[in-house]
Amino acid sequence: MKKVLVIGAGAQGGPCASILANEESVAEIRLGDIDLEVARKVAAKIKSQKIQPVKLNAHVLGEVIKAAEGMDVIFNLTLLKYNDIIMEAALMSQAHYVDTACSTQFLEEWAAGNESKFNCEFAAIGKTALVGCGFAPGIANVLTRYACDPMDRVTKIIIRAGRASVNNPDEVVSGWEPTWSPEILLEDYSEPPMVLKAGKFVRVPIFSNPEIYKFPDPIGKMLLSSHMHEEPYLIPKFYLEKGLQKLDFKYPVDKIVGAFIKMGFANDTPIDVNGVNVVPRDVLMKLVKRPRNQFLAENETTIYQSELTGIIDINVEGERSGEKIVHIISYRFTDGPNKERQRRLYNSYGTTMIHVALPAVVGAKMCANGEVQSGVVSPDSLIPDIFFNGMAERGVSFEMDENIIKQTVIRKDKYLRFHNSTD
């Protein structure tokens, strides 16, 4: 890929543009944002002549098509409501398309087994629309495939994500401070989660199935619950024929946003307040403390102050060559206490927050190299070895803790043995 369009110059668009600026094969990066000044500030921080900031309203198809003219790949790092518009623009421009999150409508069609919108059109021109290729979804899907591919049968996939900082909070009581788009985060927490149970898709209530889960240090024990996310929709399609019966995704409980949702602040139906119609959701979005543009805010001082750690655990149960297998993977996607890693990332990209943008770049590179099928695909279609090597080639050695447990049964002696292996 020689020419790319990055739409959105925010906390993910900045790192994406910075990573692309380091790619020898990339000659031009158009960085589009509705706020041209933000795009210019991002370009100034990256200090690459490859980057051309442009004012772009992602809601206007014509503007996106114009910006996409001559581009090889379009990266969509905006809000979910623009996905279809940008995907259509990529199709009309005959470019590959990559985003990092999926709309609920898209996920429901995918889970129902219906053909994805624009799939035939992208396949017809030999291009790929790679959806949900960030961290989670994204890396989480590829890690799941890595565990599932060697198995003859896959019966259960359990995914647990956690993030925490070991720094003591400055305030005893604080407001809701989302770490990314409050609109998307509110939707994720307020939508009834989907799980796969007995081989069937089932919706469960929000904040249901709570559990105290123990992550590796420094996170430790954390309260999790079922959570609306892409993985339970995207992944089962690939393993139902292998016998998949259960898949669920759990995420840390945010009691502050949970209280707002329970009180009705996620509703978009107007209510009467002293004779004035008010949309509760609009009130919350007006008052919430929005996250800063992390890419612009991060500097050599802040990287040594942050202790944010994020870990995802994936537990896959199945069978291989007649043996029952449990494959457990623990992947640390952010590692604040590891200051050497933080310094290395910052020196390379001007940020340490690359866990969403880097997978998108690696996935795009695979699309451009013809290593992914054409049409609309999810990260589950990415070959793990190529993907992991792509991460490592860009300065992020792919490290994960694995534990493979085999259950061996010697029937003649009726002897049952468990042992651990690292094969």
Side-chain angles (χ1 to χ4, degrees), residues 362-396:
V362 173
K365 190 75 172 181
M366 293 174 67
C367 292
N369 289 343
E371 295 164 337
V372 189
Q373 68 192 68
S374 57
V376 178
V377 304
S378 71
D380 309 87
S381 296
L382 303 181
I383 298 172
D385 287 349
I386 298 176
F387 180 85
F388 297 153
N389 285 333
M391 297 277 287
E393 288 169 1
R394 289 159 179 84
V396 183

Side-chain angles (χ1 to χ4, degrees), residues 262-321:
K262 295 285 188 178
M263 291 172 65
F265 279 99
N267 295 339
D268 55 11
T269 301
I271 61 173
D272 182 272
V273 180
N274 297 327
V276 178
N277 284 333
V278 177
V279 176
R281 186 175 180 276
D282 289 348
V283 174
L284 180 58
M285 291 298 101
K286 183 69 174 179
L287 295 175
V288 66
K289 182 179 180 181
R290 292 180 174 272
R292 296 179 298 171
N293 186 322
Q294 183 68 24
F295 180 75
L296 294 177
E298 202 170 15
N299 56 51
E300 293 181 354
T301 300
T302 63
I303 65 172
Y304 289 102
Q305 294 172 342
S306 173
E307 297 291 328
L308 180 66
T309 299
I311 297 174
I312 189 164
D313 285 355
I314 299 173
N315 186 316
V316 177
E317 296 184 17
E319 295 179 9
R320 185 177 68 193
S321 301

Side-chain angles (χ1 to χ4, degrees), residues 144-206:
T144 300
R145 176 175 176 176
Y146 170 78
C148 291
D149 272 0
M151 295 188 182
D152 304 314
R153 282 179 52 80
V154 176
T155 56
K156 185 186 297 185
I157 300 172
I158 305 298
I159 302 175
R160 302 289 182 262
R163 62 203 309 270
S165 176
V166 296
N167 289 337
N168 293 322
D170 296 330
E171 300 175 304
V172 176
V173 178
S174 62
W176 180 36
E177 298 184 3
T179 53
W180 66 88
S181 168
E183 287 86 358
I184 294 177
L185 194 58
L186 184 68
E187 180 178 335
D188 285 352
Y189 273 113
S190 60
E191 285 283 330
M194 181 74 80
V195 300
L196 189 76
K197 187 176 181 180
K200 304 293 182 182
F201 287 103
V202 179
R203 287 197 181 278
V204 297
I206 60 174

Side-chain angles (χ1 to χ4, degrees), residues 53-358:
V54 296
K55 184 176 178 61
L56 176 57
N57 185 348
H59 185 66
V60 181
L61 177 60
E63 287 194 26
V64 183
I65 293 174
K66 183 178 179 180
E69 184 177 351
M71 297 292 102
D72 298 309
V73 180
I74 297 179
F75 290 87
N76 172 13
L77 296 167
T78 60
L79 298 176
L80 296 175
K81 61 183 179 181
Y82 301 132
N83 283 15
D84 281 359
I85 294 173
I86 300 174
M87 193 179 291
E88 183 176 354
L91 181 63
M92 297 181 69
S93 304
Q94 297 196 7
H96 296 290
Y97 166 92
V98 180
D99 67 34
T100 58
C102 307
S103 68
T104 301
Q105 181 180 0
F106 174 89
L107 293 172
E108 289 177 346
E109 292 293 325
W110 182 281
N114 300 329
E115 184 175 41
S116 300
K117 190 176 182 181
F118 302 128
N119 178 62
C120 288
E121 291 86 345
F122 272 101
I125 63 172
K127 300 296 182 179
T128 301
L130 176 58
V131 301
C133 192
F135 163 63
I139 291 179
N141 303 61
V142 181
L143 284 171
T144 300
R145 176 175 176 176
Y146 170 78
C148 291
D149 272 0
M151 295 188 182
D152 304 314
R153 282 179 52 80
V154 176
T155 56
K156 185 186 297 185
I157 300 172
I158 305 298
I159 302 175
R160 302 289 182 262
R163 62 203 309 270
S165 176
V166 296
N167 289 337
N168 293 322
D170 296 330
E171 300 175 304
V172 176
V173 178
S174 62
W176 180 36
E177 298 184 3
T179 53
W180 66 88
S181 168
E183 287 86 358
I184 294 177
L185 194 58
L186 184 68
E187 180 178 335
D188 285 352
Y189 273 113
S190 60
E191 285 283 330
M194 181 74 80
V195 300
L196 189 76
K197 187 176 181 180
K200 304 293 182 182
F201 287 103
V202 179
R203 287 197 181 278
V204 297
I206 60 174
F207 301 108
S208 60
N209 304 312
E211 68 171 291
I212 302 296
Y213 184 84
K214 189 178 187 306
F215 287 100
D217 291 335
I219 295 181
K221 293 182 179 180
M222 178 170 283
L223 176 63
L224 308 180
S225 70
S226 294
H227 188 76
M228 165 63 188
H229 226 251
E230 285 90 342
E231 290 84 349
Y233 290 88
L234 296 176
I235 294 175
K237 171 182 178 178
F238 299 88
Y239 308 107
L240 288 172
E241 291 187 358
K242 280 192 171 185
L244 183 63
Q245 294 295 301
K246 179 178 180 179
L247 189 151
D248 72 356
F249 177 98
K250 291 185 180 180
Y251 192 75
V253 173
D254 187 326
K255 293 186 177 181
I256 297 176
V257 70
F260 282 133
I261 292 170
K262 295 285 188 178
M263 291 172 65
F265 279 99
N267 295 339
D268 55 11
T269 301
I271 61 173
D272 182 272
V273 180
N274 297 327
V276 178
N277 284 333
V278 177
V279 176
R281 186 175 180 276
D282 289 348
V283 174
L284 180 58
M285 291 298 101
K286 183 69 174 179
L287 295 175
V288 66
K289 182 179 180 181
R290 292 180 174 272
R292 296 179 298 171
N293 186 322
Q294 183 68 24
F295 180 75
L296 294 177
E298 202 170 15
N299 56 51
E300 293 181 354
T301 300
T302 63
I303 65 172
Y304 289 102
Q305 294 172 342
S306 173
E307 297 291 328
L308 180 66
T309 299
I311 297 174
I312 189 164
D313 285 355
I314 299 173
N315 186 316
V316 177
E317 296 184 17
E319 295 179 9
R320 185 177 68 193
S321 301
E323 294 180 315
K324 291 185 177 180
I325 301 288
V326 178
H327 193 155
I328 303 169
I329 295 173
S330 186
Y331 175 69
R332 196 173 298 245
F333 59 94
T334 57
D335 194 0
N338 186 342
K339 299 307 177 185
E340 172 58 28
R341 180 180 186 272
Q342 300 294 82
R343 183 189 61 79
R344 188 172 65 250
L345 287 174
Y346 185 81
N347 288 344
S348 296
Y349 301 120
T351 180
T352 63
M353 306 301 287
I354 50 80
H355 53 280
V356 173
L358 184 59

